[in-house]
Amino acid sequence: MRDKIVAGNWKMNNDLAQTEDLLSNIKKLYKEKEGVRVIVAPSFTNLHHAFESLRELPVDVAAQNMNENSDGAYTGEVSGQMLTSIGIKTVILGHSERRAIYKETDELLAKKVNAALENDMEVIFCCGEELGERKTEKHFEVVKRQLEKGLFHVPEANWNKVVIAYEPVWAIGTGETASPEQAQEMHAFIRKTVAEKYGNEVANDVAILYGGSVKPGNAQEIFAKEDVDGGLIGGASLKAEDFMAIVEAF
Ligand code: 13P
């Protein structure tokens, strides 16, 4: 049985005081929801604080990125070892903002995935097409390439550490959501693509999250789809009430 997950990607938002505020509101509103795993991903500077603060709750804390090397002269970078040493066991990799703004390629992401797994970390691997690619009906091809080049070198034995997040770029931060049918269609395609490579057992066990303008008002109909196992939430995860309402939507 695969996990159901609601993960909040806080992106480059919240200084320490704002982080404390959001964490305290999450703690106030948090209600355990049977079978649903909750994850929050603050920025690097607030990871340690968030981890310590959320110790009392079954809420996991994830990083939004990490470097592909183990250590050395990489000014400004953060390694997997640094993350695990403060208790962080999950990392988001391949977010479209990292791909587009910081030019992270499929090849680089494959190395980052390896570095995370070598540190025994769980990877939330993001994929998704841009608007032009959907309009020209290349979306399946693009997502398949992202999976094949960034993720499909991972040995089958490590797939229990893999979560996939489908985030159509045109739906991120735009208020425009993929319809539940569009999400289901792509999630089913992703699961089929994983099955072709690794077999049905791996494909049935991998959680596939949807991301892109998920809000309390639309979460339920998206999560109701068979192959949608949860959400990766941006804007709405910055408000504890909205984030917890999305968790409730399961
Ligand atoms: P929004 O929910 O703000 O559209 O962001 C989605 C996202 O990028 C999560 O990683």
Side-chain angles (χ1 to χ4, degrees), residues 99-200:
R99 292 178 188 262
I101 306 169
Y102 301 101
K103 309 291 175 228
E104 293 195 358
T105 59
D106 294 321
E107 291 70 27
L108 174 66
L109 290 170
K111 289 184 191 163
K112 291 193 175 202
V113 167
N114 287 346
L117 294 173
E118 275 158 22
N119 281 286
D120 211 18
M121 294 174 78
E122 172 188 48
V123 173
I124 300 178
F125 184 85
C126 303
C127 57
E129 80 285 357
E130 293 179 6
L131 183 59
E133 293 164 337
R134 177 157 286 260
K135 281 191 170 155
T136 51
E137 300 197 357
K138 295 215 168 70
H139 45 298
F140 294 120
E141 192 185 308
V142 167
V143 168
K144 188 170 188 192
R145 188 209 73 223
Q146 290 171 337
L147 295 172
E148 284 178 345
K149 294 205 162 170
L151 201 55
F152 279 9
H153 60 288
V154 171
E156 185 177 331
N158 286 341
W159 268 71
N160 59 348
K161 295 272 181 194
V162 174
V163 172
I164 296 173
Y166 168 59
E167 299 204 309
V169 181
W170 47 272
I172 295 178
T174 58
E176 189 176 341
T177 326
S179 67
E181 292 70 32
Q182 283 173 320
Q184 169 57 27
E185 186 186 33
M186 182 59 87
H187 283 225
F189 172 78
I190 291 171
R191 207 176 297 287
K192 180 175 93 88
T193 305
V194 173
E196 281 164 7
K197 169 79 180 168
Y198 291 97
N200 284 336

Side-chain angles (χ1 to χ4, degrees), residues 9 11 95 97 167 171-174 211-215 232-236:
N9 175 7
K11 307 193 180 183
H95 192 281
E97 287 149 18
E167 299 204 309
I172 295 178
T174 58
S213 299
V214 177
K215 308 258 178 306
L232 182 54
I233 322 298

Side-chain angles (χ1 to χ4, degrees), residues 4 6 175-185 187 208 210-231 233 245-250:
K4 294 198 180 305
V6 177
E176 189 176 341
T177 326
S179 67
E181 292 70 32
Q182 283 173 320
Q184 169 57 27
E185 186 186 33
H187 283 225
I208 308 176
Y210 169 80
S213 299
V214 177
K215 308 258 178 306
N218 61 21
Q220 198 158 25
E221 54 176 3
I222 297 173
F223 294 167
K225 291 292 177 192
E226 192 185 337
D227 287 295
V228 179
D229 305 309
I233 322 298
I246 292 170
V247 173
E248 267 306 300
F250 259 117

